[in-house]
Amino acid sequence: MTTPLENYAKTIDPRTSLFDVQIVSESDETLVLSGRVLDASQLDELPRLFPDRKLDTASIRILNAESHPCLHVATNLTGLYEKPTFGMPLSSELYFGTPLEALDESGSWVFVRQTDGYLGWAYRRYLSEETPPAPTHLVLAPSVEVREKPQEASGVVTRLVSGTGVSVVKKRGNWALVKANREGWVRASNLRPLADIPQEIEEKRKLMVADAKRMIGVPYLWGGASGNGIDCSGFVRLLHRWVGVDIPRDADMQYAAAKPVEPPYQIGDLFFFGEGGSERRITHVGMSLGGWVMIHSSRGNNGVYVDDLQERSSLMDIFVSAGSFLR
């Protein structure tokens, strides 16, 4: 039998909020509670859960009421997890340089909040208190080798994945010296200068077509956000990142934040789908290449491929609506 605290915790979205409260002791008059919540307003729910008891909440930490250090991802890519263990499925992935607010710690793990409010656990060893160089370019290739010298025969010092922000120090011919988790040389054609990202919507759309196709064949990975493997919402988020548009992480969040649109669909419009058996109404998303032609990362295709929705009844049967962050 579940307790009122457990029932209330089930109503909290762990991606953006936290309610981790337990009963420490109880008497006829008072319940002593302990644990963590994100906001003080969540404590206002407790009298409703226990209307006939006095509550001692002095031991409950309110994370938003505390000051927290800022950390940055110091490796080329790391995972974000719902629990502090590598044994959990990925919630998302974090590129080098991603700023994180460190809300709490548990052993070798840090409970972090991204700038968009997305929460999760990251491995502390892969984070740093040092602020990385301000990025000047984004990595375009699914994965790019960083070399010791500006030549193909040179040794590889690391690899960077699609969407990573890097600082270009100097250029030599077709090569650029970049600073990321390691310093080294990459082909300049694999980078997009932030200063060159167009402001006009139609120009962004043109780039999104070319950007989307460079990811064809990248395998599907739940929680993935890079050329190593990517899920549906991570893929459309990456396509928007490359053209300077920030959108939420998950498909249902994207659905809630996007502007609803109707046919005829334009390049960059997002198609949202809802599969049965999920607690979330929206479970899948893809991007229009114009009309009903969609590119998406799916389990069915095991990766990023193009589908014509009008020829795929299995997709049309679960189609919910379309939305856009470009209109």
Side-chain angles (χ1 to χ4, degrees):
M1 182 175 179
T2 58
T3 68
L5 290 174
E6 292 170 334
N7 287 331
Y8 178 67
K10 291 178 181 178
T11 69
I12 301 298
D13 188 339
R15 300 170 297 176
T16 55
S17 191
L18 172 72
F19 184 84
D20 180 20
V21 177
Q22 304 84 33
I23 298 173
V24 177
S25 65
E26 58 182 306
S27 64
D28 291 339
E29 295 185 355
T30 304
L31 288 179
V32 179
L33 305 176
S34 180
R36 305 172 303 156
V37 297
L38 193 64
D39 298 303
S41 60
Q42 292 172 292
L43 298 184
D44 297 337
E45 292 292 323
L46 296 176
R48 181 183 64 81
L49 301 178
F50 302 99
D52 301 324
R53 307 292 292 273
K54 292 181 180 179
L55 302 177
D56 181 346
T57 62
S59 295
I60 297 177
R61 291 178 57 198
I62 304 170
L63 298 187
N64 276 348
E66 303 173 355
S67 59
H68 305 287
C70 181
L71 303 175
H72 290 80
V73 176
T75 189
N76 51 1
L77 188 71
T78 190
L80 189 74
Y81 300 86
E82 188 175 332
K83 303 290 184 182
T85 171
F86 287 117
M88 292 290 295
L90 278 173
S91 296
S92 189
E93 289 180 313
L94 306 172
Y95 307 126
F96 167 79
T98 299
L100 302 167
E101 185 181 8
L103 301 178
D104 202 1
E105 293 191 15
S106 177
S108 300
W109 294 81
V110 185
F111 187 60
V112 298
R113 176 164 51 192
Q114 298 179 66
T115 55
D116 62 0
Y118 205 93
L119 301 168
W121 290 90
Y123 191 51
R124 180 64 178 87
R125 183 177 176 181
Y126 298 155
L127 309 179
S128 174
E129 297 176 1
E130 296 184 12
T131 302
T136 60
H137 293 65
L138 294 176
V139 174
L140 283 179
S143 178
V144 60
E145 295 172 335
V146 182
R147 298 188 176 275
E148 295 174 349
K149 299 177 182 179
Q151 49 190 258
E152 291 292 348
S154 181
V156 175
V157 297
T158 188
R159 285 173 171 81
L160 297 173
V161 297
S162 48
T164 302
V166 298
S167 175
V168 171
V169 179
K170 61 182 177 180
K171 292 185 178 180
R172 183 179 299 173
N174 296 323
W175 293 84
L177 180 64
V178 302
K179 279 189 175 182
N181 64 310
R182 305 274 179 96
E183 184 174 288
W185 295 87
V186 302
R187 285 284 188 182
S189 58
N190 289 323
L191 303 176
R192 172 168 294 155
L194 295 178
D196 289 354
I197 294 176
Q199 299 301 310
E200 299 78 14
I201 295 299
E202 291 308 313
E203 293 302 313
K204 290 181 185 290
R205 294 187 196 277
K206 292 177 183 178
L207 285 181
M208 293 178 91
V209 172
D211 291 345
K213 291 182 178 179
R214 76 175 77 245
M215 295 290 286
I216 287 178
V218 170
Y220 181 88
L221 175 65
W222 176 271
S226 75
N228 287 351
I230 200 162
D231 65 18
C232 64
S233 55
F235 176 56
V236 300
R237 192 186 197 204
L238 173 61
L239 295 180
H240 284 78
R241 175 177 171 83
W242 272 332
V243 295
V245 179
D246 292 325
I247 70 173
R249 172 60 179 89
D250 294 337
D252 60 324
M253 296 174 167
Q254 294 165 359
Y255 169 79
K259 178 182 179 180
V261 296
E262 300 290 339
Y265 297 120
Q266 301 181 51
I267 295 167
D269 290 347
L270 301 182
F271 295 136
F272 297 104
F273 304 85
E275 301 165 89
S278 173
E279 62 186 27
R280 298 178 188 171
R281 182 188 177 197
I282 302 301
T283 56
H284 186 62
V285 61
M287 189 191 81
S288 173
L289 294 176
W292 288 99
V293 177
M294 175 182 76
I295 189 166
H296 61 141
S297 182
S298 68
R299 281 198 180 100
N301 292 327
N302 191 28
V304 177
Y305 294 97
V306 176
D307 276 309
D308 187 331
L309 294 189
Q310 294 180 312
E311 297 178 358
R312 287 286 304 275
S313 59
S314 59
L315 288 171
M316 288 300 289
D317 288 346
I318 60 172
F319 175 72
V320 175
S321 65
S324 180
F325 292 91
L326 299 181
R327 297 202 192 187

